[in-house]
Amino acid sequence: MKDQKILNALSYFSLFFAPLIVPIAIWIFSATESTKHHAKIALLTHILPTIGAIVSVFIVGVVGFSTNSSNVTGFIGLGLIVSIGIMIVVLAIFNIVRGIQALVAKDDDPLFNSID
């Protein structure tokens, strides 16, 4: 049970050292469904900022090509950069909180030991 807690927390804390490799490895090689579930959630929260950045670049490119105003493009680009920055901070805090919760969870806590 202690190994499961460590793997759950490691999948969230991997944001700081291997954000894609560790959750994927835990998801593939884990024996319990609960740990696989937490690895999937951690992987999703690690990938979301990248997806947001790609969509933002696409939006800025479309706006840049469709308007002749660099002010509009710059304003939209700045707004998207700020929103991606906020998303990164919020998801980092989420991962830290979930990692700590996974470490201190009791063995009978259904939130961290089952996926009901």
Side-chain angles (χ1 to χ4, degrees):
M1 200 54 92
K2 187 167 174 91
D3 293 338
Q4 181 180 353
K5 283 182 178 182
I6 292 172
L7 286 176
N8 287 346
L10 185 64
S11 63
Y12 290 111
F13 290 143
S14 69
L15 175 71
F16 300 109
F17 55 89
L20 296 178
I21 297 169
V22 173
I24 289 173
I26 291 172
W27 180 24
I28 291 171
F29 297 116
S30 176
T32 64
E33 287 299 318
S34 174
T35 304
K36 287 183 180 186
H37 174 73
H38 287 285
K40 289 177 195 176
I41 298 294
L43 180 64
L44 178 68
T45 60
H46 296 352
I47 289 176
L48 277 177
T50 305
I51 294 171
I54 291 170
V55 169
S56 296
V57 167
F58 179 74
I59 290 172
V60 169
V62 168
V63 169
F65 283 124
S66 64
T67 64
N68 291 330
S69 174
S70 61
N71 290 335
V72 172
T73 305
F75 182 71
I76 290 175
L78 181 64
L80 290 172
I81 288 171
V82 168
S83 64
I84 295 296
I86 291 171
M87 180 173 55
I88 289 170
V89 169
V90 168
L91 289 174
I93 291 170
F94 172 80
N95 280 314
I96 292 169
V97 168
R98 292 291 287 193
I100 292 170
Q101 287 176 342
L103 282 177
V104 299
K106 303 222 183 312
D107 289 339
D108 59 347
D109 188 1
L111 182 61
F112 286 95
N113 297 321
S114 69
I115 57 169
D116 294 335

